[in-house]
Amino acid sequence: MTTLAARPTATDGGPVTDRPGDTGGRRRTGPLLVRTAGAVLIVATVVAYLVFRTAPVADDPDAAAFRFFGDVRDWADANRDTHPLFLYGVNYVRLDVRLLVDGIRAAVTGLGLAGLVAVAGAVAFVLGGWRPALLAVAGFLSFGVLGLWDESVDTLALTLTAVLISVLIGVPLGILAARVRWAGAALRPVLDVMQILPTFAYLAPMTLLFLIGSPAAVVATLIYAVPVTIRITELGIAGVAPSAVEAATAQGSTGRQLLTKVRLPMARPALVLAVNQTIMMALSMVVVTALIDAPGLGVNILRALERVNVGAAFDAGLAIVIMAIVLDRVTTAAAHRRPATTARTRWSAATSRRSRATSRLTRAASRFPGGTGRFFRTAAVPATAAVIAALPIAVTLPHLSFAKPVNDLTAWTELHGYDATEWLKNTVSTLLLNPLETLLVTTPWWLFTLVVLTFGLLLAGWRAALIAGVAAAGLTGLGLYQHSMQTLATVLVATVLTMLLGITAGVLCARHDRLAAATRPVLDAAQTMPSFVYLLPAVALFGASRFTAIVAAVIYAVPPVVRLVERGIRDVPATVVEAALSAGSTPRQLLWKVQLPMARGGLLLAANQGIVMVLAMVVVGGLVGAGALGYDVVAGFSQREDFGRGLAAGFAIVLLGVLLDRLTQGFHRAKGPSR
């Protein structure tokens, strides 16, 4: 019989040492080995760079990848009306999407201002009650007050079309992923890539297949939004209590009945959340799709960007934010609505005390799914539509614009803050951006790939390292290594600034409830505002430059980082915090020794999301002087001779996103959950 040997102590007459099989010793020596290996690799990398660095070499304007993609464009144009791929596939999709968009736009426009406002209020009342209804009425009226009614209707029609198609595709795929393991495993990497793709990367392929216009815009929005629909649906179906499924199975329910009578009803909050998030994602594509001739509020923002008219862009951006808030609150209220059985039971108890004169109506209402309350609320929709159809109402609204005060404030800030903004731009460019860009563009491609592989293997595991290494090598294969390194330098600088601001603000919000409550609506609005809107104040203050893209990227990416950091700090168990305080820890020690280490998972997730959002915004910055890959993409779909280069740049952006995402996510998985 084997016995466990006692661990030696100081009273045993010898020093306290770890036995060969002691896992505590392994835990202490493991990090030491990693740090030692990391230090050696850093020194080796520095030496290799000093030995092998080269002068910056401009990308080849006639690279093989450019010619290949140009030939693909020529083939598509030549065979658009003859090849079966287009005749029986792409062209039918384009036609069907256009018909759907036109139908929804005609229905929405035909109601008129008063009719659409009334129907929006009635639908919100049915789904959520009087508070969402009041918000919907006020929100839709504000589109007319801002003088942006027609543009708002176009945006609403495109958004509803994209959301409808996303739900029709995403919900069945989400159910399939939740019920069939191999289907979920096959979809996961595809969804990962789709979610880290910067929106600019969609534009050139969409124009290649669907030309410019509403169909290309809807399909691009669909690609951007449907991963969220699939993932949330999968989580909702997979989260249904096994006991409920087992009980239904024991009663003899078939697979179809289990799905329609058990899983889908119990996953209703998740399904409504999927619709909610799909709407938010679709609205965030409004401005980007305007670059490929999609109508709506995005056109106003692009025109304002061309003229550096911050006020005009503010009005259009405000309209998008209001639309997002209305749709968000209505769908959220629908998700939190009480179950139908509860309403029906309450009403049945109440009707027993009512007079016989109303008994027939109440019995009919009690048989209506959702109870009497929903019976009367649902009746408001057709009643309102009938009234509006019979009595066309012309509404004259006052006009209100924030363009002049916003422009005046921008001009005053630009005039009085010129010295400060120039100092900030020059300081960041001189101390951070220029040295990092020089370092990256003078690094040979093979050394960059080797460094990515080595550090990825050390920090994130071999799978993440292999994917990141292939992505790094692919940048050279596309013929855009120098522009990729310039974009990477801008992304890294913006990410550092984003994390500094985001972690600071997140910690403050986690430790001060009043500050968190005050900043919450600001963060909501910032996350809803289209990304292009952030370019305008940055251009007005800093001019067209790389630093302008950095400023816009930081503003765009900080809100989600703040939220994730705050959530990570707040999720630290209260018992751990109390134990640290009872041991005499100061607030500074509590933060650095307890909360931040235990919130490491949230911090790494914040870094991952910050990098992805910064990359998306830095690429958009190609419109305002950031150059590099963003400019290549814009030139690609705006100038025919540059299409090959633009499509290659889109793929290069994808590879950069994959590289950064795999390394950060792999590092989190390799380290495991924080303790």
Side-chain angles (χ1 to χ4, degrees):
M1 180 174 174
T2 305
T3 58
L4 295 177
R7 182 180 176 86
T9 62
T11 58
D12 294 329
V16 178
T17 58
D18 289 314
R19 297 184 181 275
D22 188 10
T23 57
R26 290 178 181 176
R27 281 197 295 267
R28 281 191 290 273
T29 57
L32 178 61
L33 291 175
V34 172
R35 287 194 294 268
T36 304
V40 171
L41 288 175
I42 291 174
V43 172
T45 302
V46 172
V47 172
Y49 170 76
L50 294 175
V51 173
F52 296 106
R53 63 179 175 178
T54 60
V57 179
D59 294 328
D60 184 4
D62 193 34
F66 305 168
R67 296 195 304 272
F68 172 76
F69 291 128
D71 292 341
V72 171
R73 167 67 179 265
D74 295 337
W75 178 89
D77 290 341
N79 295 274
R80 193 174 300 278
D81 297 324
T82 58
H83 196 277
L85 173 65
F86 290 96
L87 284 178
Y88 305 109
V90 174
N91 290 350
Y92 274 107
V93 172
R94 185 172 75 245
L95 177 62
D96 291 342
V97 171
R98 183 178 294 279
L99 289 175
L100 182 59
V101 172
D102 291 343
I104 293 178
R105 183 186 290 118
V108 174
T109 306
L111 291 172
L113 190 153
L116 184 57
V117 170
V119 169
V123 171
F125 186 67
V126 168
L127 295 178
W130 67 269
R131 288 186 179 88
L134 185 62
L135 177 64
V137 170
F140 275 71
L141 284 175
S142 68
F143 301 148
V145 172
L146 290 171
L148 297 169
W149 178 256
D150 292 335
E151 294 85 350
S152 300
V153 168
D154 288 337
T155 296
L156 181 63
L158 281 176
T159 300
L160 292 179
T161 303
V163 170
L164 176 62
I165 299 175
S166 297
V167 170
L168 291 177
I169 295 175
V171 170
L173 286 179
I175 295 173
L176 179 65
R179 301 297 302 136
V180 182
R181 181 173 300 178
W182 65 264
L187 281 173
R188 197 164 297 117
V190 177
L191 298 178
D192 287 344
V193 173
M194 291 174 68
Q195 286 193 282
I196 64 176
L197 284 178
T199 52
F200 254 38
Y202 302 150
L203 300 184
M206 292 304 100
T207 57
L208 174 65
L209 294 175
F210 301 100
L211 304 178
I212 61 174
S214 298
V218 170
V219 176
T221 305
L222 168 68
I223 296 173
Y224 185 65
V226 78
V228 174
T229 315
I230 296 173
R231 287 191 184 277
I232 297 179
T233 301
E234 179 185 1
L235 289 175
I237 297 297
V240 173
S243 57
V245 177
E246 292 172 1
T249 304
Q251 295 294 324
S253 298
T254 64
R256 183 185 181 122
Q257 290 172 329
L258 282 176
L259 177 63
T260 57
K261 303 295 185 181
V262 179
R263 288 194 171 95
L264 286 178
M266 295 188 71
R268 184 178 64 86
L271 297 178
V272 178
L273 177 62
V275 175
N276 175 280
Q277 291 303 298
T278 303
I279 292 172
M280 297 299 104
M281 299 288 283
L283 281 174
S284 68
M285 284 288 288
V286 166
V287 184
V288 176
T289 54
L291 290 168
I292 52 177
D293 202 29
L297 294 166
V299 177
N300 297 63
I301 294 178
L302 286 183
R303 290 174 180 169
L305 180 61
E306 293 172 356
R307 303 169 185 171
V308 196
N309 188 337
V310 181
F314 182 85
D315 283 347
L318 180 61
I320 295 175
V321 171
I322 292 172
M323 186 180 298
I325 290 174
V326 170
L327 297 176
D328 173 71
R329 294 298 182 268
V330 171
T331 51
T332 301
H336 292 105
R337 186 166 49 83
R338 289 187 179 91
T341 54
T342 302
R344 185 161 52 247
T345 302
R346 290 200 314 270
W347 184 260
S348 298
T351 53
S352 62
R353 296 187 296 270
R354 301 221 179 242
S355 64
R356 296 178 60 185
T358 60
S359 60
R360 184 174 301 173
L361 179 62
T362 55
R363 283 198 300 269
S366 65
R367 291 194 296 269
F368 186 81
T372 305
R374 194 178 179 196
F375 174 80
F376 287 112
R377 291 204 301 269
T378 305
V381 177
T384 302
V387 170
I388 297 302
L391 300 172
I393 302 173
V395 178
T396 302
L397 296 174
H399 179 65
L400 175 65
S401 175
F402 296 94
K404 188 178 185 306
V406 170
N407 284 334
D408 291 342
L409 177 61
T410 303
W412 183 90
T413 306
E414 185 178 359
L415 176 63
H416 294 83
Y418 176 80
D419 293 335
T421 55
E422 282 296 303
W423 174 85
L424 180 61
K425 178 175 70 175
N426 294 333
T427 300
V428 173
S429 298
T430 303
L431 298 181
L432 291 177
L433 185 56
N434 292 340
L436 182 58
E437 182 177 311
T438 301
L439 173 67
L440 290 174
V441 299
T442 56
T443 300
W445 71 268
W446 59 266
L447 180 57
F448 175 75
T449 304
L450 182 61
V451 170
V452 169
L453 278 170
T454 305
F455 281 92
L457 184 63
L458 180 66
L459 300 176
W462 69 268
R463 289 187 180 88
L466 181 61
I467 296 174
V470 171
L475 299 174
T476 303
L478 290 170
L480 289 167
Y481 179 74
Q482 185 185 47
H483 279 192
S484 299
M485 293 301 101
Q486 292 171 347
T487 300
L488 179 60
T490 307
V491 168
L492 293 178
V493 171
T495 301
V496 169
L497 298 177
T498 298
M499 293 306 297
L500 289 175
L501 293 175
I503 291 176
T504 302
V507 169
L508 290 175
C509 289
R511 304 182 77 172
H512 303 282
D513 292 338
R514 290 185 180 179
L515 178 62
T519 57
R520 192 168 296 118
V522 177
L523 296 177
D524 287 342
Q527 285 191 273
T528 310
M529 190 76 73
S531 57
F532 276 64
V533 175
Y534 298 124
L535 291 175
L536 285 153
V539 171
L541 294 176
F542 300 101
S545 66
R546 297 171 300 167
F547 185 72
T548 303
I550 291 176
V551 172
V554 170
I555 300 173
Y556 180 63
V558 158
V561 173
V562 173
R563 289 185 182 278
L564 289 170
V565 172
E566 179 188 358
R567 187 72 269 155
I569 297 295
R570 290 183 181 274
D571 284 344
V572 175
T575 54
V576 176
V577 175
E578 292 173 0
L581 292 175
S582 64
S585 298
T586 63
R588 180 184 180 90
Q589 291 172 328
L590 177 65
L591 175 65
W592 288 98
K593 302 294 185 181
V594 178
Q595 291 175 317
L596 287 180
M598 296 196 68
R600 186 188 62 207
L603 297 180
L604 289 173
L605 179 60
N608 176 269
Q609 294 302 300
I611 287 173
V612 172
M613 297 190 71
V614 162
L615 176 61
M617 193 63 197
V618 164
V619 173
V620 174
L623 293 170
V624 293
L629 294 178
Y631 175 80
D632 292 335
V633 171
V634 175
F637 61 76
S638 60
Q639 302 175 23
R640 181 181 177 85
E641 60 273 13
D642 291 329
F643 179 83
R645 186 184 187 95
L647 191 54
F651 283 110
I653 293 167
V654 173
L655 293 179
L656 271 182
V658 171
L659 186 155
L660 296 171
D661 178 75
R662 291 301 93 184
L663 290 181
T664 51
Q665 283 202 12
F667 180 65
H668 183 200
R669 295 193 187 102
K671 290 295 182 182
S674 56
R675 289 177 175 83

